[in-house]
Amino acid sequence: MKIIKILLLSSLLAVLSFSAWIYYPQYQINKIKQETAPSVEKTYKLTYIDYYRTIPDSTINHLALGDSIIRGYHIPEEENFISQFSTQLGMETGKQVLSQNEGVIGITSERLNQLVQDGAYDEAIKEADLITVNVGGNDILKLVKKSDIYSALKSFESLQEGFSQNLAEITAKIGELNPSATIVLLELYNPMPADHQFYSLADKLLPKWNLMIYEAAKGTSSSIVIQTTNVINSDTLEFLASDGVHPNPSGNTAISSQMLQQFQQQHKADAVLANRQN
């Protein structure tokens, strides 16, 4: 009887530990979102749109770094979300927005970090007012391609650690070169249909990955995380290209609209506003 009680207790602890491992990241993400959400107390502060509307320069430089999501996979340049958002930002602020898209198809966080640390984008970073970064999806894809899904899951934690370090170093380097620029990061989304055999598993693991993106954003003086999962998910598969992974032109429009909405609602960090005013 005592052995049975011990086994039951051990099983219960194992279930609770697994549940915490799965659901705690989403709890942390929701907590961070609440901290950055608009509130009555913040109404005296400038939103991102207001900030860029009131800067003295007549031109806004928008630099984009990252993977095929940034580049715009198999779609015309003017239809990727970087171009679309830059156009919308110009209309909202009454300024000329110049976008420089340095997206590289297939790039991993390790490779992007190496390029950033080696100074490949130094001049562009220094001149940018706004820097959008999306990377990490290829880290996961390369791991899955090398092995079966179950072996890949065993390597997930070490993969996370590498991605977290790469992203932290990328954002730190950007902040060092240009502390007044806004860094825009994007959540990773789950492109699988709800009836896919691995959909539920991916849906539980992605918050752990996205939490690292939110934590990297918190470590910078001014940053915003675009809630990509709000617009690309199992209910909006029409926003995906025929490969079932990359956003199509409509998906890029949806991401651009999400960016604009958050720029209209969220507020620029006080420290950066103070730096600009001095």
Side-chain angles (χ1 to χ4, degrees), residues 29-203:
I29 290 174
N30 291 338
K31 184 178 178 182
I32 295 172
K33 285 181 179 180
Q34 289 173 4
E35 290 172 355
T36 58
S39 65
V40 175
E41 290 76 11
K42 291 182 179 179
T43 54
Y44 65 91
K45 300 179 183 178
L46 294 180
T47 64
Y48 283 87
I49 288 292
D50 291 333
Y51 173 84
Y52 286 109
R53 187 181 288 130
T54 58
I55 61 175
D57 298 333
S58 60
T59 300
I60 299 171
N61 292 307
H62 182 189
L63 172 65
L65 304 174
D67 53 25
S68 54
I69 304 296
I70 290 287
R71 181 79 261 167
Y73 188 71
H74 286 178
I75 62 174
E77 184 173 353
E78 66 273 10
E79 293 184 2
N80 69 47
F81 78 90
I82 297 299
S83 294
Q84 290 194 49
F85 175 73
S86 294
T87 298
Q88 289 180 305
L89 182 61
M91 294 174 63
E92 287 284 328
T93 60
K95 298 182 183 294
Q96 181 183 21
V97 180
L98 302 177
S99 61
Q100 179 178 344
N101 192 324
E102 295 290 343
V104 179
I105 294 174
I107 199 169
T108 62
S109 65
E110 181 180 13
R111 178 56 182 158
L112 180 60
N113 186 27
Q114 184 179 31
L115 288 171
V116 170
Q117 302 306 325
D118 288 346
Y121 307 114
D122 278 8
E123 292 308 310
I125 289 172
K126 290 175 184 177
E127 294 175 3
D129 302 292
L130 176 65
I131 302 171
T132 299
V133 179
N134 186 82
V135 73
N138 290 312
D139 296 33
I140 298 174
L141 288 176
K142 285 196 172 185
L143 178 67
V144 172
K145 286 177 182 178
K146 286 181 180 178
S147 58
D148 62 89
I149 188 68
Y150 296 106
S151 297
L153 286 173
K154 291 180 181 178
S155 305
F156 190 74
E157 287 203 24
S158 61
L159 183 71
Q160 279 188 121
E161 291 173 4
F163 169 73
S164 180
Q165 181 175 345
N166 289 328
L167 189 59
E169 291 178 2
I170 289 168
T171 53
K173 182 69 172 182
I174 291 173
E176 176 187 325
L177 293 170
N178 189 346
S180 64
T182 299
I183 301 176
V184 180
L185 303 172
L186 278 72
E187 293 178 337
L188 258 64
Y189 57 84
N190 183 357
M192 297 180 186
D195 59 356
H196 192 282
Q197 61 175 326
F198 295 122
Y199 170 81
S200 296
L201 181 60
D203 213 41

